[in-house]
Amino acid sequence: MTPDPKSLRLFVSVLKHGTIAAAAEHEHTAAAAVSRRISDLEEQLGVALIVRSNKGVSPTPAGRALLNMSHRVLHDLDSIQAQMHDYAVGMKGYIRIFANISAMHQFMPRELSAFLADNPLVQIDLEERVSTAIAEAVADNNADVGVLVVDTPLEGVEYLPYKEDDLVVIVPASHPLAGKERVRFADTLDYDYVGLPPGSQMNLHLMRTAREQGRTWRYRFQVSSYDSLCLMVESGLGVGMLPRRIALAYAKALDIELLGLDEPWSHRQLHVCIRSYDALSPAARLLVERMTGTGRDAG
């Protein structure tokens, strides 16, 4: 049998303090219990470990060897306990996050930078996905946390309010709609769009909304980034729709104009998506609480 850590700690303490009585006092236990532990340890290992005398105790050759090994073993155990404690309280951990393009461009860089500054031992794996795939990934445990715009809520996951944004239409400076402060969505349907990736929540929403109006949402190209979208709009290859703060950043460098979108759905709520609060690791729980300003205790 392998000696248990408690017996090794008492053995080290006895030799450190020189007497069983002094070790017992330091360890806040009875001297008889300490003596019994040492005797059991000697019996278990089949060798004498200490020599008792009226002056105290001293190690046998086997005892000296065990003392050296005990220091290493107990140090490793303390290190394990400390590291596991770091994981338990969220100081260490691994978090898988899927976020949509809007969250990736607007919020996640600053959000994660601030979080990692306070929790530098946490490892984060961040991937960009379309909103329609994010909730499924969370439900299937392929991601711990999702950040998305909810279209149709998925059963088996929780949605927590995160950030808000506003959609605008962008057009080339030479476009017939240029110069207008605000437009209705219907006003844009006479023109081809530059769309976002296939399956994106934005594309699906625009298709559905146009269909409800008896119209067709037409796109000439689909791109995977706002950078490509804005460059193609500037080149006259279509109009686009994206969050206002992102459009403002590109408008400073490109010859495009922003048109306010006069639709109730142009103001959007982004959500954090999780399987359940209780299923989160301590590190993921810290991040979610930070992002949403909520927690199980705050409810």
Side-chain angles (χ1 to χ4, degrees), residues 29-244:
T29 189
V34 174
S35 181
R36 181 70 257 174
R37 281 272 191 172
I38 300 301
S39 297
D40 289 344
L41 186 60
E42 291 177 319
E43 182 177 347
Q44 180 182 355
L45 296 176
V47 63
L49 299 172
I50 62 173
V51 177
R52 294 170 170 83
S53 70
N54 56 4
K55 294 182 179 180
V57 297
S58 59
T60 65
R64 291 192 193 92
L66 180 62
L67 181 63
N68 291 332
M69 289 185 284
S70 296
H71 282 306
R72 292 195 297 270
V73 169
L74 294 175
H75 177 271
D76 289 343
L77 290 174
D78 289 341
S79 178
I80 290 172
Q81 184 174 13
Q83 291 192 48
M84 292 302 101
H85 176 265
D86 289 345
Y87 280 101
V89 300
M91 290 177 60
K92 288 185 177 180
Y94 173 66
I95 310 172
R96 301 164 299 167
I97 305 173
F98 285 2
N100 71 355
I101 186 172
S102 295
M104 290 284 280
H105 280 71
Q106 298 183 90
F107 309 118
M108 297 309 293
R110 182 173 297 180
E111 189 82 70
L112 296 181
S113 177
F115 178 78
L116 290 175
D118 294 336
N119 303 274
L121 300 181
V122 174
Q123 180 182 350
I124 292 179
D125 185 359
L126 176 64
E127 295 186 32
E128 182 181 308
R129 299 290 179 92
V130 295
S131 289
T132 50
I134 291 173
E136 292 182 0
V138 171
D140 293 339
N141 198 26
N142 292 320
D144 304 306
V145 179
V147 186
L148 71 166
V149 174
V150 180
D151 185 12
T152 303
L154 185 68
E155 292 186 7
V157 295
E158 297 181 15
Y159 297 94
L160 307 173
Y162 179 42
K163 303 285 190 181
E164 299 177 2
D165 66 12
D166 292 286
L167 297 175
V168 297
V169 175
I170 60 169
V171 299
S174 60
H175 195 273
L177 294 177
K180 294 181 178 291
E181 290 188 7
R182 302 186 67 80
V183 293
R184 299 297 302 272
F185 177 53
D187 299 333
T188 71
L189 292 175
D190 293 331
Y191 308 98
D192 290 335
Y193 267 76
V194 178
L196 289 171
S200 68
Q201 190 274 342
M202 177 81 80
N203 290 2
L204 296 176
H205 176 75
L206 297 183
M207 287 179 186
R208 183 172 59 247
T209 304
R211 188 167 57 247
E212 291 171 353
Q213 298 181 13
R215 304 286 299 278
T216 300
W217 179 71
R218 304 192 314 270
Y219 60 88
R220 183 176 292 176
F221 301 100
Q222 290 180 287
V223 296
S224 60
S225 70
Y226 285 134
D227 183 69
S228 297
L229 187 153
C230 291
L231 288 170
M232 297 187 83
V233 169
E234 183 190 39
S235 298
L237 296 173
V239 303
M241 189 177 295
L242 69 166
R244 179 183 296 275

Side-chain angles (χ1 to χ4, degrees), residues 279-293:
L280 292 172
S281 68
R285 191 174 304 160
L286 285 177
L287 176 61
V288 168
E289 290 177 353
R290 183 172 190 142
M291 292 175 69
T292 64

